[in-house]
Amino acid sequence: MNQNADAYLCGIMIGDGFIGLYKPKSSGPKYRIGITLNRISDKAFCTDFIVPLLKKFTDKTIRLKERAEHGRLDVIIYSKDLFNYMKTQWSFPVGKKGQIKIPEHITNDETLFAKTISGIFATDGTVIFSKQHKRIPYYPRFEFCSISVPLLDQLEAYFKQREYKCSRWGIRLAINGFKSTRKFINEIGLINSSQRLRAASLVWLEHSSDSLNLSG
């Protein structure tokens, strides 16, 4: 198995994925893998990245279901082999993810750790520009959101060890400022095309900050 693909998929699943085991009375057990995305902003990311990535792991049918009433795009696969792979290789929990964390074999490898973080951010991260008490929203922040304390601990330790400017409050952790968000893009990467598009304004905002008296 390609280790880079494994790391990306692990991150995507930690961000917005789940695995479930169902036992209908009328048939045998069903091993379900799902990823929940935004039906509008994540559509290109789904078709251009997630679907080809999943095809590296399984030849099972990949179902895409749009749920307009909830603004969701659900990616669904039924595969016992992939279910067992995620459960055994990543210790991925069945059902609610709870206090999930990145597997140790990934955190011990610099390259794989970065790719897993990229996958997490692609599905559960947000590119934000705030005013910081100025006139326009100019200040960049890449924000993670998770109820898992161990996961946030891992992310915070990763960023602080590598001298990112980061902050944490409640269930959120953010990479702050032009220097650290550029560092994130260069070292970790934005694999979600909608996030790349939003982050593209970083260059304009940074070069405009002095003339607009926004620095500080």
Side-chain angles (χ1 to χ4, degrees):
M1 178 59 62
N2 182 290
Q3 288 185 311
N4 290 337
D6 179 89
Y8 278 130
L9 184 58
C10 183
I12 288 168
M13 290 296 295
I14 288 173
D16 265 333
F18 73 94
I19 61 175
L21 176 59
Y22 306 94
K23 299 180 179 179
K25 293 181 180 179
S26 58
S27 64
K30 294 184 179 295
Y31 300 86
R32 177 169 170 160
I33 298 97
I35 302 168
T36 302
L37 305 167
N38 183 287
R39 65 180 290 263
I40 297 174
S41 61
D42 290 332
K43 184 172 286 187
F45 173 53
C46 178
T47 56
D48 296 342
F49 192 94
I50 292 181
V51 170
L53 179 65
L54 286 169
K55 288 181 177 179
K56 296 178 183 292
F57 291 82
T58 181
D59 58 1
K60 297 291 185 179
T61 300
I62 301 171
R63 298 176 172 86
L64 305 181
K65 291 188 176 182
E66 290 196 31
R67 304 185 185 278
E69 69 277 15
H70 301 297
R72 284 168 41 187
L73 173 61
D74 291 342
V75 183
I76 300 169
I77 303 172
Y78 290 94
S79 169
K80 181 179 179 179
D81 289 341
L82 186 53
F83 175 98
N84 286 333
Y85 177 84
M86 294 177 174
K87 189 170 180 292
T88 57
Q89 297 299 312
W90 305 339
S91 299
F92 202 87
V94 180
K96 292 183 178 181
K97 287 179 290 188
Q99 297 301 297
I100 195 168
K101 62 181 182 179
I102 302 169
E104 187 174 343
H105 75 274
I106 289 177
T107 59
N108 288 337
D109 184 298
E110 179 79 17
T111 299
L112 299 182
F113 202 168
K115 293 184 185 303
T116 300
I117 292 174
S118 182
I120 295 171
F121 188 78
T123 48
D124 211 20
T126 309
V127 176
I128 296 172
F129 294 96
S130 61
K131 291 183 178 180
Q132 299 292 103
H133 308 294
K134 304 296 183 179
R135 289 181 289 127
I136 66 169
Y138 80 100
Y139 187 79
R141 189 167 74 246
F142 289 180
E143 186 175 297
F144 294 82
C145 180
S146 176
I147 63 168
S148 173
V149 173
L151 177 60
L152 291 178
D153 287 345
Q154 288 178 315
L155 295 174
E156 184 177 26
Y158 178 95
F159 291 124
K160 286 187 173 180
Q161 288 169 6
R162 291 157 183 82
E163 299 183 340
Y164 284 79
K165 183 179 180 181
C166 69
S167 57
R168 178 176 172 183
W169 65 102
I171 61 171
R172 300 181 185 279
L173 182 145
I175 305 303
N176 305 305
F178 290 104
K179 181 178 179 180
S180 287
T181 52
R182 284 200 314 270
K183 184 179 172 73
F184 186 101
I185 292 170
N186 293 332
E187 296 181 352
I188 295 172
L190 299 177
I191 59 174
N192 187 321
S193 53
S194 68
Q195 292 175 342
R196 284 201 305 273
L197 183 62
R198 181 160 176 74
S201 58
L202 272 171
V203 176
W204 181 87
L205 287 167
E206 184 173 22
H207 285 285
S208 301
S209 61
D210 292 333
S211 62
L212 294 172
N213 193 25
L214 297 175
S215 59

